[in-house]
Amino acid sequence: MQLSFHGANRKVTGSCTLIKSGGKKVLVDCGLHQGGHEAEDENLKPFGFDPAQIDFVVLTHAHLDHCGRLPLLQKMGFKGEIICTSATRELARLILLNSAHLQEEEARYQERKAERHGHNTDYQPLYNLVDTLSCFDRFGRTAHYEEPIELAPGIRITFFDAGHILGSASVLFELEEEQIKKRVLFAGDIGTKNPPLLNPPKPPADVDVVVMETTYGDRLHKPLEPSVQELYDAINSTFERGGNVIIPTFALERAQELLHYIRMGIEQRVLPANMQVFLDSPMAISATEIFRKHVRSFSPRTQHLFQGGRDPFSFKGLHFVKDSADSMALNRIKAGAVIMAGSGMCNGGRIRHHLKHNLWRSECSVVFVGFAVEGSLARRVIDGAEHVRLFREEIPVRAAIHTINGFSAHADQQELLNWHAKTGKPSQTFLIHGEENAMNIFASKLRDTQIHMPHLHTEFRI
């Protein structure tokens, strides 16, 4: 039995781990590297294994850094089966179609840029729409929480609720090879102990080997209640100054959570009853519709809202903005609007246009409510950049910048430690999906387990 690591090694994106047992090769996640040109270059490099030899892909959830290279995997020869929950399948389809569109758009941009400079180039997208549609044919069996699936003789998997986003899972592998048995748990991304919409994480016990994320392994989150109040204060103070609130938004979970809390603020009369909120993200709008189809995946508290006829993602002043022309029209609004647009790290999408028109205005605010990887535009603004480059222009940063970490869908250090403790006493723990400093700090907190922090393409016998 071997584990090899091909992404998110001492970094936060590109999750991709290979498990070999009983003559089979099973990939856990196949995510896109994100964060800047260096990360984008990583996506062009070989996987570190032959995609044609992979028998199965087990997908923990639908975030791009966990599923974003699946079309490339298929393009390079993968002919196996992809297994995930039903919600993950629907959300991954949405995410991957959008990614293919962006890949093609970037290729066209690079071609035009080369032509302007008189260069000859054949810039190809990482994958295109056809590759992505072909990839969907590889999705097979549907996983249900705590119901085992037999992959092959000696390989059984069971999905457990990870509480991170809709459909997310930690996956237990029960392996048997040459009369040796191992229980290997892949955490995926772990949610907080009390997520606002979902159920809390529920890992299995008596695990021999753990492979886990460490995104926030070096810190504790702010409590949720003060974070919600901080959001309300940022909105109210911006409206008093006569500006707009710009929120770079991740389409999955974060957008829906924010709609939920804004609705609550209006109902509790903490926010203006007539406030106008624009969800300017076709992907987030589609994701919200998918969320409404999976009511049973929510916590009992959220299910109760639906059963009582109250949609947690809807209120009077909410506008869904799908057309690009309507998105551009938002730039004429100078005050009194909350504009939520993708992407959360500001590396692409409509959010960049709204930043161009609002970031230089001192009466406006930009509210960050998610993790920003090193190299991303969001991270540069958060770290105090005085100017940023948008559409070949230098834009001064004069808006009020708010970073509210309490909304994170990732477990913090103590929640990660508690999750690990519930798995029993694993003999080995592999730390991935975290920046190196966070990983080292988290490793120092673990006890009674052999700790590995794998480098890219390293292999371990378990």
Side-chain angles (χ1 to χ4, degrees), residues 46-343:
F47 282 102
F49 53 83
D50 182 358
Q53 293 184 5
I54 301 299
D55 298 291
F56 302 94
V57 175
V58 175
L59 182 58
T60 63
H61 66 286
H63 274 148
L64 194 62
D65 58 338
H66 288 259
C67 73
R69 281 191 293 167
L70 286 175
L72 180 62
L73 189 77
Q74 186 274 334
K75 179 180 178 180
M76 301 301 290
F78 170 66
K79 291 181 174 59
E81 180 186 11
I82 302 171
I83 299 174
C84 60
T85 65
S86 60
T88 293
R89 181 189 291 109
E90 287 192 56
L91 292 171
R93 182 181 180 88
L94 175 66
I95 289 291
L96 292 174
L97 286 172
N98 182 70
S99 178
H101 169 72
L102 293 176
Q103 299 288 343
E104 292 177 336
E105 196 174 66
E106 175 66 15
R108 288 191 292 269
Y109 168 76
Q110 293 295 341
E111 286 286 341
R112 290 194 299 269
K113 183 179 177 181
E115 288 176 4
R116 285 198 305 269
H117 290 86
H119 298 155
N120 293 320
T121 183
D122 182 25
Y123 191 96
Q124 295 296 319
L126 193 66
Y127 50 83
N128 59 27
L129 181 61
V130 173
D131 300 321
T132 304
L133 293 173
S134 298
C135 165
F136 297 151
D137 293 337
R138 306 262 62 90
F139 281 81
R141 283 169 285 181
T142 298
H144 302 278
Y145 293 138
E146 301 184 42
E147 294 184 12
I149 296 174
E150 201 82 22
L151 291 190
I155 305 178
R156 185 168 71 167
I157 62 172
T158 307
F159 283 57
F160 292 84
D161 197 339
H164 174 59
I165 66 168
L166 190 74
S168 63
S170 300
V171 184
L172 175 67
F173 281 71
E174 295 175 274
L175 307 175
E176 183 173 358
E177 186 179 62
E178 298 178 351
Q179 298 184 328
I180 297 174
K181 296 182 179 181
K182 292 281 186 180
R183 287 166 59 86
V184 182
L185 179 61
F186 290 83
D189 283 354
I190 304 165
T192 61
K193 65 181 179 182
N194 188 27
L197 300 173
L198 304 176
N199 292 302
K202 189 179 180 182
D206 302 321
V207 173
D208 299 307
V209 178
V210 168
V211 181
M212 69 179 294
E213 62 120 332
T214 53
T215 308
Y216 288 107
D218 60 340
R219 72 194 79 169
L220 301 176
H221 293 321
K222 298 176 184 177
L224 182 57
E225 292 77 9
S227 295
V228 174
Q229 187 59 52
E230 190 175 347
L231 172 66
Y232 294 163
D233 291 344
I235 292 172
N236 286 325
S237 63
T238 305
F239 287 175
E240 289 171 3
R241 294 198 307 271
N244 296 320
V245 179
I246 309 299
I247 307 180
T249 308
F250 294 97
L252 303 190
E253 208 70 36
R254 193 58 42 78
Q256 292 76 31
E257 287 181 4
L258 290 173
L259 293 178
H260 167 63
Y261 284 117
I262 292 172
R263 176 192 59 80
M264 285 179 55
I266 294 171
E267 289 181 356
Q268 296 167 3
R269 300 184 180 180
V270 178
L271 293 174
N274 61 347
M275 68 181 290
Q276 302 299 298
V277 177
F278 299 89
L279 182 58
D280 186 17
S281 168
M283 187 163 62
I285 294 167
S286 297
T288 303
E289 294 302 321
I290 293 172
F291 272 54
R292 289 178 174 133
K293 291 171 58 178
H294 292 272
V295 174
R296 292 184 180 180
S297 297
F298 292 113
S299 66
R301 178 179 55 195
T302 309
Q303 289 186 45
H304 181 71
L305 285 174
F306 278 109
Q307 292 162 359
R310 298 169 63 197
D311 186 337
F313 313 124
S314 182
F315 46 90
K316 184 179 179 181
L318 175 62
H319 307 273
F320 285 168
V321 182
K322 294 183 179 180
D323 296 337
S324 57
D326 293 335
S327 175
M328 293 171 62
L330 296 181
N331 295 325
R332 296 197 293 267
I333 300 175
K334 300 304 179 185
V338 173
I339 300 173
M340 300 165 53
S343 67

Side-chain angles (χ1 to χ4, degrees), residues 387-416:
H387 295 80
V388 294
R389 191 165 183 79
L390 288 164
F391 306 105
R392 298 192 292 274
E393 291 184 39
E394 289 294 324
I395 307 297
V397 180
R398 296 181 185 138
I401 307 301
H402 301 264
T403 305
I404 309 176
N405 290 327
F407 288 107
S408 178
H410 285 270
D412 67 10
Q413 182 188 85
Q414 190 57 56
E415 290 165 333
L416 289 170

